[in-house]
PDB file of all heavy atoms in Angstrom:
ATOM      1  N   LEU Y   1     -77.151 176.448  -9.201  1.00  0.00           N
ATOM      2  CA  LEU Y   1     -77.812 177.152 -10.305  1.00  0.00           C
ATOM      3  C   LEU Y   1     -77.276 178.493 -10.733  1.00  0.00           C
ATOM      4  O   LEU Y   1     -77.236 178.799 -11.930  1.00  0.00           O
ATOM      5  CB  LEU Y   1     -79.321 177.166 -10.097  1.00  0.00           C
ATOM      6  CG  LEU Y   1     -80.208 176.076 -10.373  1.00  0.00           C
ATOM      7  CD1 LEU Y   1     -81.711 176.324 -10.172  1.00  0.00           C
ATOM      8  CD2 LEU Y   1     -79.986 175.460 -11.759  1.00  0.00           C
ATOM      9  N   VAL Y   2     -76.780 179.210  -9.779  1.00  0.00           N
ATOM     10  CA  VAL Y   2     -76.306 180.458 -10.097  1.00  0.00           C
ATOM     11  C   VAL Y   2     -75.180 180.448 -11.124  1.00  0.00           C
ATOM     12  O   VAL Y   2     -75.172 181.245 -12.124  1.00  0.00           O
ATOM     13  CB  VAL Y   2     -75.870 181.275  -8.738  1.00  0.00           C
ATOM     14  CG1 VAL Y   2     -75.052 182.556  -9.062  1.00  0.00           C
ATOM     15  CG2 VAL Y   2     -77.117 181.626  -7.914  1.00  0.00           C
ATOM     16  N   PRO Y   3     -74.072 179.668 -10.905  1.00  0.00           N
ATOM     17  CA  PRO Y   3     -73.085 179.498 -11.903  1.00  0.00           C
ATOM     18  C   PRO Y   3     -73.504 179.073 -13.306  1.00  0.00           C
ATOM     19  O   PRO Y   3     -73.079 179.551 -14.286  1.00  0.00           O
ATOM     20  CB  PRO Y   3     -72.032 178.558 -11.343  1.00  0.00           C
ATOM     21  CG  PRO Y   3     -72.424 178.579  -9.768  1.00  0.00           C
ATOM     22  CD  PRO Y   3     -73.866 178.809  -9.738  1.00  0.00           C
ATOM     23  N   ILE Y   4     -74.535 178.124 -13.317  1.00  0.00           N
ATOM     24  CA  ILE Y   4     -75.057 177.704 -14.543  1.00  0.00           C
ATOM     25  C   ILE Y   4     -75.756 178.728 -15.283  1.00  0.00           C
ATOM     26  O   ILE Y   4     -75.593 178.927 -16.538  1.00  0.00           O
ATOM     27  CB  ILE Y   4     -76.016 176.442 -14.248  1.00  0.00           C
ATOM     28  CG1 ILE Y   4     -75.281 175.331 -13.728  1.00  0.00           C
ATOM     29  CG2 ILE Y   4     -76.769 176.051 -15.569  1.00  0.00           C
ATOM     30  CD1 ILE Y   4     -76.144 174.096 -13.302  1.00  0.00           C
ATOM     31  N   PHE Y   5     -76.601 179.574 -14.756  1.00  0.00           N
ATOM     32  CA  PHE Y   5     -77.324 180.595 -15.299  1.00  0.00           C
ATOM     33  C   PHE Y   5     -76.348 181.695 -15.700  1.00  0.00           C
ATOM     34  O   PHE Y   5     -76.711 182.502 -16.632  1.00  0.00           O
ATOM     35  CB  PHE Y   5     -78.386 181.154 -14.509  1.00  0.00           C
ATOM     36  CG  PHE Y   5     -79.792 180.437 -14.703  1.00  0.00           C
ATOM     37  CD1 PHE Y   5     -79.981 179.221 -14.079  1.00  0.00           C
ATOM     38  CD2 PHE Y   5     -80.653 180.901 -15.488  1.00  0.00           C
ATOM     39  CE1 PHE Y   5     -81.183 178.524 -14.244  1.00  0.00           C
ATOM     40  CE2 PHE Y   5     -81.973 180.257 -15.753  1.00  0.00           C
ATOM     41  CZ  PHE Y   5     -82.117 179.007 -15.088  1.00  0.00           C
ATOM     42  N   ARG Y   6     -75.262 181.976 -14.951  1.00  0.00           N
ATOM     43  CA  ARG Y   6     -74.357 182.972 -15.416  1.00  0.00           C
ATOM     44  C   ARG Y   6     -73.696 182.560 -16.730  1.00  0.00           C
ATOM     45  O   ARG Y   6     -73.242 183.500 -17.620  1.00  0.00           O
ATOM     46  CB  ARG Y   6     -73.245 183.167 -14.375  1.00  0.00           C
ATOM     47  CG  ARG Y   6     -73.690 184.052 -13.224  1.00  0.00           C
ATOM     48  CD  ARG Y   6     -72.619 184.059 -12.099  1.00  0.00           C
ATOM     49  NE  ARG Y   6     -73.225 184.937 -11.041  1.00  0.00           N
ATOM     50  CZ  ARG Y   6     -72.619 184.907  -9.834  1.00  0.00           C
ATOM     51  NH1 ARG Y   6     -71.752 184.066  -9.498  1.00  0.00           N
ATOM     52  NH2 ARG Y   6     -73.230 185.702  -8.808  1.00  0.00           N
ATOM     53  N   LEU Y   7     -73.529 181.354 -17.070  1.00  0.00           N
ATOM     54  CA  LEU Y   7     -73.059 180.824 -18.439  1.00  0.00           C
ATOM     55  C   LEU Y   7     -73.955 181.239 -19.503  1.00  0.00           C
ATOM     56  O   LEU Y   7     -73.670 181.514 -20.604  1.00  0.00           O
ATOM     57  CB  LEU Y   7     -72.787 179.388 -18.355  1.00  0.00           C
ATOM     58  CG  LEU Y   7     -71.662 178.912 -17.510  1.00  0.00           C
ATOM     59  CD1 LEU Y   7     -71.598 177.360 -17.442  1.00  0.00           C
ATOM     60  CD2 LEU Y   7     -70.256 179.535 -18.093  1.00  0.00           C
ATOM     61  N   MET Y   8     -75.331 180.996 -19.182  1.00  0.00           N
ATOM     62  CA  MET Y   8     -76.363 181.364 -20.269  1.00  0.00           C
ATOM     63  C   MET Y   8     -76.752 182.850 -20.346  1.00  0.00           C
ATOM     64  O   MET Y   8     -77.040 183.358 -21.382  1.00  0.00           O
ATOM     65  CB  MET Y   8     -77.624 180.548 -19.854  1.00  0.00           C
ATOM     66  CG  MET Y   8     -77.401 179.029 -19.962  1.00  0.00           C
ATOM     67  SD  MET Y   8     -78.978 178.164 -19.864  1.00  0.00           S
ATOM     68  CE  MET Y   8     -79.544 178.598 -18.097  1.00  0.00           C
ATOM     69  N   VAL Y   9     -76.720 183.470 -19.165  1.00  0.00           N
ATOM     70  CA  VAL Y   9     -77.044 184.859 -19.134  1.00  0.00           C
ATOM     71  C   VAL Y   9     -76.009 185.633 -18.359  1.00  0.00           C
ATOM     72  O   VAL Y   9     -76.095 185.930 -17.202  1.00  0.00           O
ATOM     73  CB  VAL Y   9     -78.435 185.151 -18.342  1.00  0.00           C
ATOM     74  CG1 VAL Y   9     -78.833 186.557 -18.487  1.00  0.00           C
ATOM     75  CG2 VAL Y   9     -79.430 184.109 -18.801  1.00  0.00           C
ATOM     76  N   PRO Y  10     -74.966 185.991 -19.063  1.00  0.00           N
ATOM     77  CA  PRO Y  10     -73.737 186.612 -18.468  1.00  0.00           C
ATOM     78  C   PRO Y  10     -73.970 188.017 -17.905  1.00  0.00           C
ATOM     79  O   PRO Y  10     -73.328 188.359 -16.965  1.00  0.00           O
ATOM     80  CB  PRO Y  10     -72.709 186.666 -19.564  1.00  0.00           C
ATOM     81  CG  PRO Y  10     -73.435 186.591 -20.899  1.00  0.00           C
ATOM     82  CD  PRO Y  10     -74.715 185.862 -20.562  1.00  0.00           C
ATOM     83  N   GLN Y  11     -74.949 188.746 -18.381  1.00  0.00           N
ATOM     84  CA  GLN Y  11     -75.101 190.049 -18.014  1.00  0.00           C
ATOM     85  C   GLN Y  11     -76.004 190.055 -16.771  1.00  0.00           C
ATOM     86  O   GLN Y  11     -77.051 189.391 -16.691  1.00  0.00           O
ATOM     87  CB  GLN Y  11     -75.799 191.032 -19.187  1.00  0.00           C
ATOM     88  CG  GLN Y  11     -77.194 190.721 -19.549  1.00  0.00           C
ATOM     89  CD  GLN Y  11     -77.309 189.534 -20.525  1.00  0.00           C
ATOM     90  OE1 GLN Y  11     -76.331 188.765 -20.745  1.00  0.00           O
ATOM     91  NE2 GLN Y  11     -78.381 189.421 -21.069  1.00  0.00           N
ATOM     92  N   GLY Y  12     -75.749 191.086 -15.773  1.00  0.00           N
ATOM     93  CA  GLY Y  12     -76.618 191.376 -14.650  1.00  0.00           C
ATOM     94  C   GLY Y  12     -76.352 190.261 -13.616  1.00  0.00           C
ATOM     95  O   GLY Y  12     -75.665 189.303 -13.708  1.00  0.00           O
ATOM     96  N   ASP Y  13     -76.992 190.574 -12.396  1.00  0.00           N
ATOM     97  CA  ASP Y  13     -76.822 189.758 -11.198  1.00  0.00           C
ATOM     98  C   ASP Y  13     -77.991 188.670 -11.277  1.00  0.00           C
ATOM     99  O   ASP Y  13     -79.080 189.173 -11.109  1.00  0.00           O
ATOM    100  CB  ASP Y  13     -76.872 190.681  -9.904  1.00  0.00           C
ATOM    101  CG  ASP Y  13     -76.651 189.767  -8.750  1.00  0.00           C
ATOM    102  OD1 ASP Y  13     -76.247 188.547  -8.876  1.00  0.00           O
ATOM    103  OD2 ASP Y  13     -76.829 190.286  -7.660  1.00  0.00           O
ATOM    104  N   ILE Y  14     -77.602 187.440 -11.365  1.00  0.00           N
ATOM    105  CA  ILE Y  14     -78.644 186.381 -11.460  1.00  0.00           C
ATOM    106  C   ILE Y  14     -79.017 185.892 -10.097  1.00  0.00           C
ATOM    107  O   ILE Y  14     -80.048 185.042 -10.012  1.00  0.00           O
ATOM    108  CB  ILE Y  14     -78.034 185.299 -12.460  1.00  0.00           C
ATOM    109  CG1 ILE Y  14     -79.295 184.394 -12.935  1.00  0.00           C
ATOM    110  CG2 ILE Y  14     -77.128 184.345 -11.620  1.00  0.00           C
ATOM    111  CD1 ILE Y  14     -79.968 185.117 -14.028  1.00  0.00           C
ATOM    112  N   THR Y  15     -78.343 186.169  -9.074  1.00  0.00           N
ATOM    113  CA  THR Y  15     -78.473 185.640  -7.672  1.00  0.00           C
ATOM    114  C   THR Y  15     -79.828 185.778  -7.151  1.00  0.00           C
ATOM    115  O   THR Y  15     -80.522 184.896  -6.752  1.00  0.00           O
ATOM    116  CB  THR Y  15     -77.488 186.100  -6.707  1.00  0.00           C
ATOM    117  OG1 THR Y  15     -76.229 185.838  -7.212  1.00  0.00           O
ATOM    118  CG2 THR Y  15     -77.609 185.362  -5.353  1.00  0.00           C
ATOM    119  N   LEU Y  16     -80.401 187.017  -7.289  1.00  0.00           N
ATOM    120  CA  LEU Y  16     -81.664 187.310  -6.728  1.00  0.00           C
ATOM    121  C   LEU Y  16     -82.682 186.585  -7.499  1.00  0.00           C
ATOM    122  O   LEU Y  16     -83.667 186.042  -6.962  1.00  0.00           O
ATOM    123  CB  LEU Y  16     -82.005 188.847  -6.826  1.00  0.00           C
ATOM    124  CG  LEU Y  16     -83.315 189.373  -6.382  1.00  0.00           C
ATOM    125  CD1 LEU Y  16     -83.628 189.006  -4.912  1.00  0.00           C
ATOM    126  CD2 LEU Y  16     -83.485 190.814  -6.555  1.00  0.00           C
ATOM    127  N   LEU Y  17     -82.519 186.503  -8.908  1.00  0.00           N
ATOM    128  CA  LEU Y  17     -83.509 185.762  -9.641  1.00  0.00           C
ATOM    129  C   LEU Y  17     -83.604 184.360  -9.267  1.00  0.00           C
ATOM    130  O   LEU Y  17     -84.709 183.713  -9.267  1.00  0.00           O
ATOM    131  CB  LEU Y  17     -83.218 185.892 -11.158  1.00  0.00           C
ATOM    132  CG  LEU Y  17     -83.347 187.339 -11.714  1.00  0.00           C
ATOM    133  CD1 LEU Y  17     -82.860 187.276 -13.232  1.00  0.00           C
ATOM    134  CD2 LEU Y  17     -84.640 188.056 -11.553  1.00  0.00           C
ATOM    135  N   ILE Y  18     -82.553 183.724  -9.020  1.00  0.00           N
ATOM    136  CA  ILE Y  18     -82.471 182.348  -8.719  1.00  0.00           C
ATOM    137  C   ILE Y  18     -83.183 182.077  -7.234  1.00  0.00           C
ATOM    138  O   ILE Y  18     -83.760 181.184  -7.146  1.00  0.00           O
ATOM    139  CB  ILE Y  18     -81.009 181.752  -8.706  1.00  0.00           C
ATOM    140  CG1 ILE Y  18     -80.466 181.817 -10.013  1.00  0.00           C
ATOM    141  CG2 ILE Y  18     -80.957 180.395  -8.077  1.00  0.00           C
ATOM    142  CD1 ILE Y  18     -81.285 180.921 -11.069  1.00  0.00           C
ATOM    143  N   PHE Y  19     -82.882 183.135  -6.306  1.00  0.00           N
ATOM    144  CA  PHE Y  19     -83.359 182.970  -4.956  1.00  0.00           C
ATOM    145  C   PHE Y  19     -84.873 183.027  -5.034  1.00  0.00           C
ATOM    146  O   PHE Y  19     -85.588 182.226  -4.411  1.00  0.00           O
ATOM    147  CB  PHE Y  19     -82.828 184.011  -4.077  1.00  0.00           C
ATOM    148  CG  PHE Y  19     -83.523 183.980  -2.780  1.00  0.00           C
ATOM    149  CD1 PHE Y  19     -83.267 183.087  -1.793  1.00  0.00           C
ATOM    150  CD2 PHE Y  19     -84.352 185.106  -2.327  1.00  0.00           C
ATOM    151  CE1 PHE Y  19     -83.896 183.087  -0.566  1.00  0.00           C
ATOM    152  CE2 PHE Y  19     -84.981 185.108  -1.194  1.00  0.00           C
ATOM    153  CZ  PHE Y  19     -84.821 184.171  -0.244  1.00  0.00           C
ATOM    154  N   LEU Y  20     -85.439 184.024  -5.765  1.00  0.00           N
ATOM    155  CA  LEU Y  20     -86.879 184.240  -5.962  1.00  0.00           C
ATOM    156  C   LEU Y  20     -87.482 182.941  -6.615  1.00  0.00           C
ATOM    157  O   LEU Y  20     -88.661 182.499  -6.292  1.00  0.00           O
ATOM    158  CB  LEU Y  20     -87.185 185.520  -6.764  1.00  0.00           C
ATOM    159  CG  LEU Y  20     -86.919 186.776  -6.040  1.00  0.00           C
ATOM    160  CD1 LEU Y  20     -87.130 187.904  -6.968  1.00  0.00           C
ATOM    161  CD2 LEU Y  20     -87.833 186.946  -4.860  1.00  0.00           C
ATOM    162  N   THR Y  21     -86.863 182.413  -7.600  1.00  0.00           N
ATOM    163  CA  THR Y  21     -87.265 181.158  -8.373  1.00  0.00           C
ATOM    164  C   THR Y  21     -87.363 179.949  -7.405  1.00  0.00           C
ATOM    165  O   THR Y  21     -88.555 179.310  -7.413  1.00  0.00           O
ATOM    166  CB  THR Y  21     -86.309 180.774  -9.469  1.00  0.00           C
ATOM    167  OG1 THR Y  21     -86.270 181.928 -10.436  1.00  0.00           O
ATOM    168  CG2 THR Y  21     -86.764 179.571 -10.165  1.00  0.00           C
ATOM    169  N   SER Y  22     -86.426 179.763  -6.594  1.00  0.00           N
ATOM    170  CA  SER Y  22     -86.510 178.678  -5.602  1.00  0.00           C
ATOM    171  C   SER Y  22     -87.505 178.947  -4.506  1.00  0.00           C
ATOM    172  O   SER Y  22     -88.161 177.939  -4.116  1.00  0.00           O
ATOM    173  CB  SER Y  22     -85.144 178.378  -5.004  1.00  0.00           C
ATOM    174  OG  SER Y  22     -84.601 179.649  -4.399  1.00  0.00           O
ATOM    175  N   LEU Y  23     -87.651 180.161  -4.100  1.00  0.00           N
ATOM    176  CA  LEU Y  23     -88.682 180.457  -3.078  1.00  0.00           C
ATOM    177  C   LEU Y  23     -90.142 180.214  -3.664  1.00  0.00           C
ATOM    178  O   LEU Y  23     -90.862 179.723  -2.893  1.00  0.00           O
ATOM    179  CB  LEU Y  23     -88.468 181.874  -2.689  1.00  0.00           C
ATOM    180  CG  LEU Y  23     -89.150 182.231  -1.278  1.00  0.00           C
ATOM    181  CD1 LEU Y  23     -88.550 181.438  -0.105  1.00  0.00           C
ATOM    182  CD2 LEU Y  23     -88.975 183.766  -0.963  1.00  0.00           C
ATOM    183  N   ALA Y  24     -90.271 180.647  -4.849  1.00  0.00           N
ATOM    184  CA  ALA Y  24     -91.625 180.454  -5.496  1.00  0.00           C
ATOM    185  C   ALA Y  24     -91.921 178.980  -5.672  1.00  0.00           C
ATOM    186  O   ALA Y  24     -93.050 178.551  -5.430  1.00  0.00           O
ATOM    187  CB  ALA Y  24     -91.460 181.085  -6.887  1.00  0.00           C
ATOM    188  N   ALA Y  25     -90.961 178.228  -5.925  1.00  0.00           N
ATOM    189  CA  ALA Y  25     -91.033 176.739  -6.162  1.00  0.00           C
ATOM    190  C   ALA Y  25     -91.461 176.090  -4.748  1.00  0.00           C
ATOM    191  O   ALA Y  25     -92.422 175.238  -4.719  1.00  0.00           O
ATOM    192  CB  ALA Y  25     -89.807 176.125  -6.621  1.00  0.00           C
ATOM    193  N   VAL Y  26     -90.772 176.510  -3.700  1.00  0.00           N
ATOM    194  CA  VAL Y  26     -91.184 175.911  -2.376  1.00  0.00           C
ATOM    195  C   VAL Y  26     -92.585 176.307  -1.967  1.00  0.00           C
ATOM    196  O   VAL Y  26     -93.322 175.479  -1.612  1.00  0.00           O
ATOM    197  CB  VAL Y  26     -90.133 176.542  -1.247  1.00  0.00           C
ATOM    198  CG1 VAL Y  26     -90.658 176.090   0.134  1.00  0.00           C
ATOM    199  CG2 VAL Y  26     -88.781 176.055  -1.566  1.00  0.00           C
ATOM    200  N   PHE Y  27     -93.008 177.492  -2.151  1.00  0.00           N
ATOM    201  CA  PHE Y  27     -94.419 177.932  -1.779  1.00  0.00           C
ATOM    202  C   PHE Y  27     -95.344 177.303  -2.599  1.00  0.00           C
ATOM    203  O   PHE Y  27     -96.552 176.908  -2.302  1.00  0.00           O
ATOM    204  CB  PHE Y  27     -94.623 179.385  -1.687  1.00  0.00           C
ATOM    205  CG  PHE Y  27     -93.880 180.075  -0.510  1.00  0.00           C
ATOM    206  CD1 PHE Y  27     -92.982 181.018  -0.520  1.00  0.00           C
ATOM    207  CD2 PHE Y  27     -94.387 179.711   0.813  1.00  0.00           C
ATOM    208  CE1 PHE Y  27     -92.460 181.649   0.558  1.00  0.00           C
ATOM    209  CE2 PHE Y  27     -93.757 180.194   1.894  1.00  0.00           C
ATOM    210  CZ  PHE Y  27     -92.856 181.242   1.868  1.00  0.00           C
ATOM    211  N   GLN Y  28     -95.155 177.143  -3.936  1.00  0.00           N
ATOM    212  CA  GLN Y  28     -96.078 176.551  -4.862  1.00  0.00           C
ATOM    213  C   GLN Y  28     -96.206 175.045  -4.465  1.00  0.00           C
ATOM    214  O   GLN Y  28     -97.272 174.479  -4.550  1.00  0.00           O
ATOM    215  CB  GLN Y  28     -95.580 176.619  -6.307  1.00  0.00           C
ATOM    216  CG  GLN Y  28     -96.633 176.263  -7.287  1.00  0.00           C
ATOM    217  CD  GLN Y  28     -96.364 176.641  -8.679  1.00  0.00           C
ATOM    218  OE1 GLN Y  28     -95.499 177.454  -8.920  1.00  0.00           O
ATOM    219  NE2 GLN Y  28     -97.025 176.126  -9.654  1.00  0.00           N
ATOM    220  N   THR Y  29     -95.061 174.260  -4.082  1.00  0.00           N
ATOM    221  CA  THR Y  29     -95.212 173.028  -3.701  1.00  0.00           C
ATOM    222  C   THR Y  29     -96.087 172.768  -2.403  1.00  0.00           C
ATOM    223  O   THR Y  29     -97.008 171.919  -2.411  1.00  0.00           O
ATOM    224  CB  THR Y  29     -93.771 172.332  -3.392  1.00  0.00           C
ATOM    225  OG1 THR Y  29     -93.010 172.573  -4.512  1.00  0.00           O
ATOM    226  CG2 THR Y  29     -93.916 170.925  -3.068  1.00  0.00           C
ATOM    227  N   LEU Y  30     -95.801 173.633  -1.591  1.00  0.00           N
ATOM    228  CA  LEU Y  30     -96.632 173.654  -0.251  1.00  0.00           C
ATOM    229  C   LEU Y  30     -98.120 173.769  -0.493  1.00  0.00           C
ATOM    230  O   LEU Y  30     -98.958 173.207   0.135  1.00  0.00           O
ATOM    231  CB  LEU Y  30     -95.990 174.592   0.754  1.00  0.00           C
ATOM    232  CG  LEU Y  30     -94.674 174.291   1.394  1.00  0.00           C
ATOM    233  CD1 LEU Y  30     -94.233 175.473   2.090  1.00  0.00           C
ATOM    234  CD2 LEU Y  30     -94.564 172.979   2.052  1.00  0.00           C
ATOM    235  N   SER Y  31     -98.304 174.829  -1.375  1.00  0.00           N
ATOM    236  CA  SER Y  31     -99.871 175.092  -1.615  1.00  0.00           C
ATOM    237  C   SER Y  31    -100.511 173.924  -2.439  1.00  0.00           C
ATOM    238  O   SER Y  31    -101.610 173.568  -2.105  1.00  0.00           O
ATOM    239  CB  SER Y  31     -99.887 176.353  -2.406  1.00  0.00           C
ATOM    240  OG  SER Y  31     -99.392 176.264  -3.567  1.00  0.00           O
ATOM    241  N   ILE Y  32     -99.845 173.369  -3.410  1.00  0.00           N
ATOM    242  CA  ILE Y  32    -100.372 172.257  -4.210  1.00  0.00           C
ATOM    243  C   ILE Y  32    -100.696 171.126  -3.304  1.00  0.00           C
ATOM    244  O   ILE Y  32    -101.651 170.358  -3.370  1.00  0.00           O
ATOM    245  CB  ILE Y  32     -99.505 171.899  -5.335  1.00  0.00           C
ATOM    246  CG1 ILE Y  32     -99.456 173.073  -6.370  1.00  0.00           C
ATOM    247  CG2 ILE Y  32     -99.968 170.651  -5.963  1.00  0.00           C
ATOM    248  CD1 ILE Y  32     -98.380 172.902  -7.453  1.00  0.00           C
ATOM    249  N   ASN Y  33     -99.647 170.723  -2.500  1.00  0.00           N
ATOM    250  CA  ASN Y  33     -99.811 169.641  -1.703  1.00  0.00           C
ATOM    251  C   ASN Y  33    -100.839 169.715  -0.520  1.00  0.00           C
ATOM    252  O   ASN Y  33    -101.571 168.676  -0.114  1.00  0.00           O
ATOM    253  CB  ASN Y  33     -98.427 169.292  -0.932  1.00  0.00           C
ATOM    254  CG  ASN Y  33     -97.528 168.620  -1.918  1.00  0.00           C
ATOM    255  OD1 ASN Y  33     -97.777 168.584  -3.037  1.00  0.00           O
ATOM    256  ND2 ASN Y  33     -96.190 168.283  -1.480  1.00  0.00           N
ATOM    257  N   ILE Y  34    -100.976 170.835   0.087  1.00  0.00           N
ATOM    258  CA  ILE Y  34    -102.211 171.053   1.086  1.00  0.00           C
ATOM    259  C   ILE Y  34    -103.501 170.943   0.366  1.00  0.00           C
ATOM    260  O   ILE Y  34    -104.403 170.412   1.012  1.00  0.00           O
ATOM    261  CB  ILE Y  34    -101.932 172.282   1.831  1.00  0.00           C
ATOM    262  CG1 ILE Y  34    -102.782 172.349   3.148  1.00  0.00           C
ATOM    263  CG2 ILE Y  34    -102.309 173.512   1.094  1.00  0.00           C
ATOM    264  CD1 ILE Y  34    -102.318 171.238   4.171  1.00  0.00           C
ATOM    265  N   MET Y  35    -103.546 171.344  -0.867  1.00  0.00           N
ATOM    266  CA  MET Y  35    -104.825 171.300  -1.567  1.00  0.00           C
ATOM    267  C   MET Y  35    -105.111 169.894  -2.104  1.00  0.00           C
ATOM    268  O   MET Y  35    -106.209 169.540  -2.445  1.00  0.00           O
ATOM    269  CB  MET Y  35    -104.674 172.221  -2.871  1.00  0.00           C
ATOM    270  CG  MET Y  35    -104.885 173.679  -2.277  1.00  0.00           C
ATOM    271  SD  MET Y  35    -104.452 174.943  -3.733  1.00  0.00           S
ATOM    272  CE  MET Y  35    -105.802 174.537  -4.761  1.00  0.00           C
ATOM    273  N   ALA Y  36    -104.057 169.062  -2.103  1.00  0.00           N
ATOM    274  CA  ALA Y  36    -104.238 167.532  -2.345  1.00  0.00           C
ATOM    275  C   ALA Y  36    -105.215 166.973  -1.455  1.00  0.00           C
ATOM    276  O   ALA Y  36    -105.906 165.989  -1.759  1.00  0.00           O
ATOM    277  CB  ALA Y  36    -102.878 166.802  -2.519  1.00  0.00           C
ATOM    278  N   TYR Y  37    -105.345 167.539  -0.144  1.00  0.00           N
ATOM    279  CA  TYR Y  37    -106.249 167.009   0.874  1.00  0.00           C
ATOM    280  C   TYR Y  37    -107.657 167.016   0.244  1.00  0.00           C
ATOM    281  O   TYR Y  37    -108.466 166.100   0.420  1.00  0.00           O
ATOM    282  CB  TYR Y  37    -106.096 167.985   2.096  1.00  0.00           C
ATOM    283  CG  TYR Y  37    -107.285 167.803   3.028  1.00  0.00           C
ATOM    284  CD1 TYR Y  37    -107.253 166.897   4.035  1.00  0.00           C
ATOM    285  CD2 TYR Y  37    -108.311 168.755   3.001  1.00  0.00           C
ATOM    286  CE1 TYR Y  37    -108.305 166.752   4.938  1.00  0.00           C
ATOM    287  CE2 TYR Y  37    -109.384 168.692   3.864  1.00  0.00           C
ATOM    288  CZ  TYR Y  37    -109.266 167.741   4.875  1.00  0.00           C
ATOM    289  OH  TYR Y  37    -110.392 167.687   5.831  1.00  0.00           O
ATOM    290  N   TYR Y  38    -107.945 168.191  -0.507  1.00  0.00           N
ATOM    291  CA  TYR Y  38    -109.389 168.244  -0.966  1.00  0.00           C
ATOM    292  C   TYR Y  38    -109.610 167.270  -2.143  1.00  0.00           C
ATOM    293  O   TYR Y  38    -110.635 166.773  -2.456  1.00  0.00           O
ATOM    294  CB  TYR Y  38    -109.699 169.625  -1.446  1.00  0.00           C
ATOM    295  CG  TYR Y  38    -109.676 170.640  -0.323  1.00  0.00           C
ATOM    296  CD1 TYR Y  38    -108.768 171.705  -0.260  1.00  0.00           C
ATOM    297  CD2 TYR Y  38    -110.600 170.497   0.776  1.00  0.00           C
ATOM    298  CE1 TYR Y  38    -108.810 172.502   0.857  1.00  0.00           C
ATOM    299  CE2 TYR Y  38    -110.734 171.291   1.795  1.00  0.00           C
ATOM    300  CZ  TYR Y  38    -109.796 172.469   1.892  1.00  0.00           C
ATOM    301  OH  TYR Y  38    -109.855 173.338   2.991  1.00  0.00           O
TER     302      TYR Y  38
END
């Protein structure tokens, strides 16, 4: 994803944003799935 976003957003360092995005996705998945129990 980092190279893809650099094509769309050439300015700035996109690596941290992509890392935070993927980390948010993982935790949101885990929280939604554990709540599926209820």
